[in-house]
Amino acid sequence: QVQLVESGGGLVQTGGSLRLSCAASGRTFSSLPMGWFRQAPGKEREFVALITRIGSRPYYADSVKGRFTISRDNAKNTLYLQMNSLKPEDTAVYYCAARGSPFSSSSQSRTAYDYWGQGTQVTVSS
């Protein structure tokens, strides 16, 4: 089992920045591919960014490319999402997620992830 707890959300103006954190406990964090997803009101949960076990080859949704950066600190069992140049359309609940096996590849599909945090709200005002 893996427990994930997000933090760092809040209210920010357009153009501002936030840094989300996802603290992991339980199974070995460093062995699992991780991702960030988000869900806006009335919309399906969508992929934001992913990162491999060792922190290489980050991949982003087109909507956040160049503005968001995913990273991880395996020594601290923590996943991060640095969000810059925020826009009102970035408003959503943001979730971190972990794949269930160290042999899993990275994935953009939310159904590929076995463990989820409770989410943290990000609101960008115009």
Side-chain angles (χ1 to χ4, degrees):
Q1 291 290 327
V2 176
Q3 293 78 42
L4 304 172
V5 179
E6 302 96 336
S7 61
L11 174 64
V12 64
Q13 292 185 335
T14 297
S17 298
L18 283 174
R19 188 194 196 199
L20 305 184
S21 298
C22 172
S25 60
R27 288 185 58 184
T28 305
F29 169 79
S30 61
S31 70
L32 303 177
M34 302 286 295
W36 285 99
F37 291 77
R38 66 186 182 186
Q39 188 166 16
K43 295 187 177 181
E44 291 191 352
R45 193 170 299 187
E46 66 175 6
F47 166 76
V48 174
L50 62 82
I51 195 165
T52 63
R53 293 176 294 161
I54 60 173
S56 63
R57 297 197 300 272
Y59 187 80
Y60 302 92
D62 287 343
S63 58
V64 307
K65 199 171 296 182
R67 300 187 296 122
F68 289 13
T69 302
I70 187 172
S71 62
R72 66 191 297 165
D73 186 336
N74 286 342
K76 295 182 178 179
N77 283 359
T78 304
L79 178 74
Y80 301 100
L81 185 68
Q82 178 67 44
M83 306 186 295
N84 299 328
S85 302
L86 283 162
K87 305 175 182 179
E89 50 264 43
D90 294 319
T91 295
V93 177
Y94 283 72
Y95 299 89
C96 66
R99 296 215 62 186
S101 168
F103 304 104
S104 302
S105 58
S106 300
S107 175
Q108 299 177 51
S109 172
R110 66 180 187 271
T111 60
Y113 290 80
D114 297 280
Y115 304 104
W116 294 84
Q118 83 291 348
T120 185
Q121 176 71 47
V122 171
T123 303
V124 184
S125 63
S126 57

